[in-house]
Amino acid sequence: MDGFGSDFSSGAAGSGKMDPGTIMEQVKVQIAVANAQELLQRMTDKCFKKCVGKPGGSLDNSEQKCIAMCMDRYMDAWNTVSRAYNSRLQRERARI
């Protein structure tokens, strides 16, 4: 990984052991980074395919606008789905 919480050898008080809470936080950070990278890759692929007809040395004005709007819509949709998913998770957890 890119150095985000990947040093599992430094432990509590130099004992070589890590607190389970610390490990969980590092795993959460690594998952968040991987999710962000995947989101960016998917958004780039979809918007490029939608907006760029013939790749060249630069993007023309209409391609730039199309990509900007596509990325905005993609992020809006992602945020809407994420909020709905998190809301549902919270409701499910409240039932338990």
Side-chain angles (χ1 to χ4, degrees), residues 10-83:
S10 64
S15 66
K17 295 181 182 177
M18 289 191 70
D19 173 44
T22 302
I23 293 171
M24 285 301 294
E25 285 303 312
Q26 289 181 342
V27 169
K28 286 179 183 179
V29 168
Q30 290 176 345
I31 290 170
V33 169
N35 284 338
Q37 289 172 333
E38 182 180 355
L39 170 64
L40 184 58
Q41 185 63 48
R42 284 185 182 186
M43 182 173 54
T44 301
D45 290 345
K46 288 183 184 291
C47 292
F48 185 85
K49 287 176 187 174
K50 177 183 181 349
C51 298
V52 180
K54 294 181 181 177
S58 63
L59 298 173
D60 66 30
N61 199 28
S62 64
E63 290 171 332
Q64 289 178 21
K65 287 180 183 178
C66 179
I67 288 173
M69 289 175 54
C70 177
M71 292 177 83
D72 285 344
R73 284 192 308 266
Y74 198 95
M75 289 303 298
D76 287 344
W78 175 266
N79 289 331
T80 299
V81 169
S82 293
R83 281 192 300 270

Side-chain angles (χ1 to χ4, degrees), residues 76-92:
D76 287 344
W78 175 266
N79 289 331
T80 299
V81 169
S82 293
R83 281 192 300 270
Y85 178 72
N86 288 330
S87 175
R88 183 172 180 179
L89 280 177
Q90 288 176 355
R91 284 194 308 268
E92 291 295 322

